[in-house]
Amino acid sequence: MDFSSPRWLGGRGAVGGNLQTIWPALYSKRYHGPAPVYRRERWNTPDGDFIDVDFQVGPEGADAAADVPMLVLFHGLEGSSASHYAQSFAHWARERGWRYVVPHFRGCSGEINLAPRAYHSGDFEEIGWVLQALRTRHAGPIVAVGVSLGGNALLRWAEEAGETASAVVRAVCAISSPIDLAAGGQAIGRGFNRHVYTRMFLRTMIPKALRKWEQHPGLFDRERLRAVRDLYAFDNVFTAPLHGFRDTDDYWHRGSAKPHLHRIRVPALVLNARNDPFVPAHSLPRQAEVGPFVTLWQPHHGGHVGFPAGAWPGHVMTLPEQVMGWMVDRLPVDGVGRPGARPA
């Protein structure tokens, strides 16, 4: 990816990384024309819970034809179909007549889920269940994009699925994903990141966890949760024990996609800006570590799910254009793409 941020929005260093993260999320243009419109479906999960899945409605008021390509986007931590990046990918899909779907992780659609669990960065079983359900109902090719947490979970699914992944999707992409969860967790727990990003996430995560305790009294130590001030402590009290991990270190170790990238057997794009405040550049993999099916894009600019472009106040539509250009190259020649379901 050849990407440079606008001159007015910083550069390669920490200041630029933060500006390129915060400004796009708050102020940048995400689409042309009307806002994306979704049709929501509630799916019952195998364990008696539910997730909400948003399907973009086409301009004529109906979903696109069943045999066109489908783009599935898995959102990041505390994200949704309304996140800035989700709206920019929705615009790309709408302009090209693709079907577009945003499955919400449990508890992220505006309504708390029912089961004594939530979601986490290594939730590959949930990713697999969602993709298989979409595969059974959609005749056309499917590609999947995961953003931040959702990207790590998507890669973990591709790693676990191995050769069988290609029967479900044509290609996958992880954007700004903390594929080394320990490195990412340490980065977000220090200095400016701790005071700004950690506080932002905990502002919604702690109340949702307390509502989960009200559903299931005694599920975790409520007073310890009230006292947490960083994601490491939150994961120790809530995320790890609720999802079968011993503690935060065990969760971050077993949930990280980076050590297993060589197992992927479907075309996969891993995009990380080297000035991402959440994902230290020193933790990123090299091409020799990942195997022939994985393509690494590591531009110097972009921040965390930012990649702003254009004149003031900027837009975030370059990101889906470049990512989906790579995806289309992995589709068969069927009227929508160029040749190649092939490893990069």
Side-chain angles (χ1 to χ4, degrees):
M1 182 182 190
D2 182 16
F3 176 82
S4 294
S5 67
R7 187 172 297 178
W8 54 269
L9 206 52
R12 297 184 179 189
V15 172
N18 286 303
L19 287 174
Q20 293 160 29
T21 299
I22 296 170
W23 187 270
L26 296 180
Y27 304 115
S28 61
K29 191 174 185 63
R30 298 97 186 268
Y31 48 82
H32 298 298
V37 177
Y38 297 103
R39 173 181 58 81
R40 176 161 292 184
E41 293 185 6
R42 177 156 292 184
W43 291 3
N44 295 321
T45 63
D47 61 346
D49 203 354
F50 71 88
I51 64 167
D52 288 326
V53 183
D54 283 359
F55 292 79
Q56 181 167 222
V57 177
E60 63 288 327
D63 290 343
D67 59 347
V68 304
M70 172 183 282
L71 167 59
V72 185
L73 184 136
F74 293 97
H75 62 77
L77 183 64
E78 296 297 273
S80 72
S81 60
S83 297
H84 67 285
Y85 51 82
Q87 292 183 325
S88 69
F89 276 92
H91 173 75
W92 186 95
R94 181 175 64 189
E95 290 292 294
R96 289 155 183 83
W98 283 41
R99 298 193 76 188
Y100 178 66
V101 186
V102 183
H104 290 89
F105 289 113
R106 302 194 198 196
C108 290
S109 62
E111 184 174 342
I112 197 73
N113 65 303
L114 304 175
R117 59 154 292 171
Y119 67 104
H120 61 90
S121 294
D123 210 355
F124 64 85
E125 295 97 341
E126 192 97 315
I127 297 282
W129 176 74
V130 169
L131 288 175
Q132 189 58 55
L134 291 168
R135 177 73 282 163
T136 60
R137 61 191 288 174
H138 181 68
I142 296 175
V143 298
V145 171
V147 176
S148 195
L149 173 149
N152 185 81
L154 177 62
L155 292 176
R156 287 291 294 114
W157 168 77
E159 292 162 355
E160 294 294 324
E163 299 285 353
T164 66
S166 61
V168 183
V169 297
R170 298 295 183 124
V172 298
C173 172
I175 299 171
S176 300
S177 296
I179 57 177
D180 181 337
L181 292 176
Q186 291 163 10
I188 202 171
R190 293 193 298 257
F192 178 87
N193 292 350
R194 180 187 178 96
H195 290 293
V196 176
Y197 304 119
T198 295
R199 286 184 178 182
M200 177 191 69
F201 287 128
L202 292 181
R203 193 176 300 127
T204 58
M205 292 167 65
I206 290 176
K208 284 166 66 173
L210 292 174
R211 290 178 64 192
K212 185 60 61 183
W213 192 96
E214 292 171 359
Q215 285 180 319
H216 304 278
L219 185 62
F220 53 84
D221 189 328
R222 184 169 58 173
E223 296 313 308
R224 282 184 63 204
L225 184 87
R226 292 183 191 274
V228 304
R229 296 294 181 268
D230 58 36
L231 296 183
Y232 185 92
F234 182 90
D235 286 343
N236 247 337
V237 176
F238 184 81
T239 311
L242 264 63
H243 300 101
F245 301 101
R246 183 183 65 252
D247 53 22
T248 297
D249 293 325
D250 183 45
Y251 161 43
W252 287 358
H253 173 71
R254 291 165 54 192
S256 294
K258 180 182 175 181
H260 312 288
L261 291 171
H262 63 279
R263 296 167 55 189
I264 291 177
R265 293 296 181 269
V266 65
L269 174 63
V270 182
L271 168 58
N272 294 95
R274 300 189 70 83
N275 66 350
D276 187 331
F278 298 2
V279 184
H282 68 77
S283 71
L284 298 177
R286 296 167 301 187
Q287 191 64 53
E289 299 177 90
V290 302
F293 284 82
V294 178
T295 298
L296 301 178
W297 284 358
Q298 297 175 359
H300 288 287
H301 296 202
H304 187 77
V305 204
F307 302 96
W312 179 280
H315 64 80
V316 289
M317 289 177 277
T318 296
L319 175 62
E321 287 173 3
Q322 296 218 19
V323 167
M324 295 310 298
W326 185 91
M327 288 284 199
V328 167
D329 270 342
R330 272 76 198 162
L331 293 180
V333 177
D334 57 3
V336 296
R338 295 166 290 216
R342 62 183 185 275

